């Protein structure tokens, strides 16, 4: 896992000299992504200048042999690569690659891509990546991103030149321009708590490369846009999946996904929350590496509502694990300083205090020397772990006039005491609204007119279709965004076995009865591992995220600070994004417990104000 950036300079008068003058600043902007090695090269191709730069976080083959940009054996192709292709050994063996100069996955994928079978080759890769490959002979540039978009890749066109980078802040420096706010993106964040649901960013004109796709730019054709095409979909007509013994098949796929993600020449660890997903990863890693051969980190907040320390202890005792607990009870006085720091790394407004919690967890990982950490993100999306999936399922059944089945499903969940008692109107509002903006919105008239509300309540033709929407738009992109940025702030690599594409395909195509059944979410996971996990974990009824007393802080301890961020001089109002009177009324209602106000309806404008202050020097007023 690393960082990369670069440029394609067609207009040298506008781009080349300024680019070189900004090279060191750009390198420093994302130095945290790759503190082990830096490298860059310039290539002159018949009037077109291409810059490729790289910051390496050494995970496989720690020697200088892994330095990038890396040149192919044919001397015709050059790569900069961020991420990991976990099955590189199998790919090398299958393709009879011999005589390699390193033990890196980078060299393997470089040689495979040098065969010019881009779509077929990318489909073979099992991992996470952002790839930029320059063909010196054909004068083409290949760009690609992994299926789930775990690894970031941004680009923009300025003065007729293309700039790309792993982080937005780096791109802002490279381009040397100010950008207007993308009001549509701002509106979705404030009104719907959405981020990363499209390729647009908070800066108008800066885009994220599409996950699961690739593009080829003909440099001599002087293309002025990036047009990508997919190399993968989880739904393939005619492809059959074996559900005759789903428990055994799930165990096989999951444990192989974990095994591949344990390939590293540095210490590895696991984040353990005490929930089902992270506990299962601990089981699989313990089974494969044995006792004492990996680190376990847990975020806790003893004495706080929702603290999961007791569940962490159950798993730790079951496997005799030594757990490093990170206490998240930072003081309210530290909160805004932490928000500013994490916002700068995040490149976008924070989604919740969970982002800060993960940042602190990764700080501890660096302190312990743990460079690779396995996390459970993606399990809820592929196994229908969120409570919203029950509502979507019942909605499907009612739409299909299967009323008795709908009642039976609801009865089963009522009987087990799961999910139904966790629904809350304040949070559910985002799924219940129609296409119009809510009547109690805080948006300025300018913002209301500028964005189109996303259909987050859409159920699709099947539950699998809805899961695919969350994978592509409404959930996974945001989660992987902040986990990548918070981990890379400390040069740590997060690996996500539940997002192994084979598991994604298997579960998105699976019958709903393997996901929601007998009053339980994630049913297949629970029954497949009921003999291996503690019963209190396997059949745990509640569901928590990272815990912190965030809601109470916003209502009490942080009230004066928050109100100071909502003063007349705030950038929220200077840029005419929010109606101040409406915001203050909503905040008052929230603090007094009136009106079913969800905490994100207050956190989001606060998060946006913090982001505006951090990035104000790069914002051009419209």
């Amino acid at each position: 896992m690393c960082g990369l950036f670069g440029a394609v300079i067609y207009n040298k008068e506008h781009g080349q000299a300024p680019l070189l003058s900004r090279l060191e600043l750009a390198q420093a902007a994302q130095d945290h992504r790759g503190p082990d090695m830096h490298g860059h090269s310039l290539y002159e191709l018949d009037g077109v200048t291409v810059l490729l730069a790289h910051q390496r976080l050494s995970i496989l083959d720690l020697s200088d042999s892994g330095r990038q940009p890396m040149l192919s054996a044919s001397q015709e192709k050059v790569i900069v690569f961020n991420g990991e292709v976990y099955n590189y050994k199998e790919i090398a063996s299958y393709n009879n690659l011999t005589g390699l100069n390193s033990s890196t996955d980078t060299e393997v994928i470089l040689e495979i891509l040098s065969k010019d079978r881009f779509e077929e080759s990318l489909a073979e890769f099992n991992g996470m990546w952002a790839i930029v490959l320059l063909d010196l002979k054909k004068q083409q540039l290949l760009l690609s991103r992994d299926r789930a978009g775990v690894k970031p890749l941004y680009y923009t066109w300025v003065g007729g030149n293309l700039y790309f980078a792993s982080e937005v802040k780096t791109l802002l420096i490279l381009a040397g321009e100010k950008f207007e706010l993308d009001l549509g993106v701002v509106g979705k964040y404030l009104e719907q708590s959405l981020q990363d649901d499209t390729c647009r960013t908070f800066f108008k004109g800066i885009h994220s490369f599409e996950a699961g796709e690739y593009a080829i730019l003909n440099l001599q054709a002087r293309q002025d846009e990036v047009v990508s095409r997919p190399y993968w979909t989880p739904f393939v007509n005619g492809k059959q999946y074996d559900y005759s013994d789903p428990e055994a098949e799930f165990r096989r796929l999951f444990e192989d996904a974990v095994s591949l993600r344990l390939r590293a020449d540095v210490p590895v660890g696991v984040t353990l929350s005490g929930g089902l997903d992270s506990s299962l990863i601990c089981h699989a890693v313990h089974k494969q590496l044995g006792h004492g051969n990996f680190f376990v980190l847990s975020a806790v907040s003893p004495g706080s509502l929702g603290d999961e320390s007791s569940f962490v202890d159950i798993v730790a005792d079951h496997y005799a694990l030594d757990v490093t607990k990170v206490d998240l009870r930072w003081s309210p006085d530290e909160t805004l300083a932490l928000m500013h720091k994490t916002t700068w790394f995040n490149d976008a407004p924070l989604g919740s205090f969970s982002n800060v919690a993960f940042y602190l967890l990764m700080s501890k990982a660096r302190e312990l020397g743990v460079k690779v950490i396995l996390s459970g993100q993606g399990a809820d999306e592929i196994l229908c772990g969120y409570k919203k999936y029950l509502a979507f399922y019942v909605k499907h059944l009612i739409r299909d006039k299967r009323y008795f089945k709908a009642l039976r499903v609801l009865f089963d969940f009522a009987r087990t005491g799961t999910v139904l008692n966790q629904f809350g109107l304040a949070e559910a509002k985002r799924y219940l609204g129609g296409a119009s903006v809510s009547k109690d919105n805080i948006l300025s008239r300018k913002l209301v007119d500028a964005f189109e509300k996303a259909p987050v309540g859409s159920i699709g033709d099947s539950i699998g279709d809805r899961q695919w929407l969350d994978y592509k738009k409404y959930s996974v992109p945001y989660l992987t965004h902040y986990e990548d940025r918070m981990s890379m702030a400390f040069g740590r690599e997060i690996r996500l076995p539940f997002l192994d594409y084979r598991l994604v395909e298997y579960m998105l195509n699976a019958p709903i009865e393997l996901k929601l059944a007998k009053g339980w979410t994630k049913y297949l996971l629970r029954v497949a591992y009921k003999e291996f996990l503690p019963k209190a974990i396997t059949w745990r009824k509640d569901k928590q995220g990272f815990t912190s007393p965030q809601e109470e802080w916003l209502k009490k301890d942080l009230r004066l600070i928050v109100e100071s961020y909502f003063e007349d001089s705030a950038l929220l109002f200077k840029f005419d994004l929010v109606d101040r009177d409406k915001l203050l009324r909503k905040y008052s209602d929230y603090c007094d417990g009136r009106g079913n106000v969800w905490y994100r309806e207050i956190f989001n404008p606060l998060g946006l104000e913090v982001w505006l202050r951090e990035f104000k020097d790069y914002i051009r007023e419209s």
Side-chain angles (χ1 to χ4, degrees), residues 209-237:
F209 193 85
E210 186 72 59
E213 299 196 0
Y214 73 101
I216 300 174
L217 275 67
N218 184 337
L219 301 183
Q220 290 307 313
R222 297 178 179 261
Q223 294 174 235
D224 58 0
E225 61 178 340
V226 176
V227 179
S228 63
R229 49 190 163 181
Y231 57 82
W232 175 79
T233 173
F235 306 114
V236 178
N237 290 333

Side-chain angles (χ1 to χ4, degrees), residues 566-581:
F566 294 161
E567 288 181 349
D568 282 333
S569 58
L571 297 177
L572 282 172
F573 314 124
K574 176 185 176 183
F575 289 113
D576 189 23
L577 303 174
V578 170
D579 183 311
R580 183 169 183 264
D581 291 338

Side-chain angles (χ1 to χ4, degrees), residues 284-413:
V285 175
H286 183 266
K287 178 180 177 181
Q288 296 184 39
L289 294 186
H291 180 73
N293 293 320
F294 65 101
F295 290 83
V296 182
L297 297 93
S298 294
V300 298
S301 50
S304 300
L305 182 66
D307 175 58
E308 298 188 90
S309 299
S310 61
F311 292 101
V312 169
D313 292 340
I314 289 172
V315 178
D317 291 344
H318 187 77
Y319 296 109
L321 301 174
D322 295 322
V323 179
T324 299
K325 294 182 178 179
V326 180
D327 193 332
L328 298 183
R329 294 175 298 174
W330 67 84
S331 71
D333 292 341
E334 299 174 88
T335 299
L336 268 295
L338 282 170
M339 284 185 68
H340 276 273
K341 187 177 296 185
T342 52
T343 296
W344 176 251
F345 284 112
N346 197 50
D347 277 338
L350 302 180
S352 73
F353 287 121
S354 297
N355 303 168
V356 178
F358 201 75
Y359 174 86
L360 295 174
L361 196 63
M362 293 299 101
S363 176
K364 175 59 73 171
R366 184 174 68 176
E367 182 182 319
L368 294 172
V370 189
K371 214 167 186 179
V372 169
I373 303 108
L374 275 64
S375 167
Q377 293 291 15
D380 286 311
E381 288 77 11
I382 71 169
L383 286 151
C384 292
Y386 295 126
K387 51 185 177 280
K388 67 183 179 185
Y389 287 118
L390 173 58
F392 291 146
Y393 182 31
V394 171
K395 194 172 179 180
H396 270 288
L397 293 172
I398 293 173
R399 185 189 66 183
D400 296 341
K401 298 181 180 181
R402 300 175 65 190
Y403 305 119
F404 180 78
K405 177 68 172 178
L407 288 173
R408 181 67 196 182
V409 168
L410 290 172
F411 174 79
D412 285 344
F413 276 90

Side-chain angles (χ1 to χ4, degrees), residues 110-144:
L110 170 60
E111 295 305 325
I112 294 301
L113 291 174
S114 293
K115 299 178 183 296
D116 292 340
R117 296 170 54 253
F118 298 136
E119 191 166 321
E120 296 87 345
S121 297
L122 292 168
E124 293 176 13
F125 295 170
N126 186 341
M128 53 183 183
W129 65 82
I131 295 171
V132 179
L133 180 80
L134 175 63
D135 189 318
L136 298 170
K137 183 177 180 180
K138 294 182 179 178
Q139 301 194 10
Q140 293 178 338
L141 194 71
L142 167 76
L143 301 101
S144 175

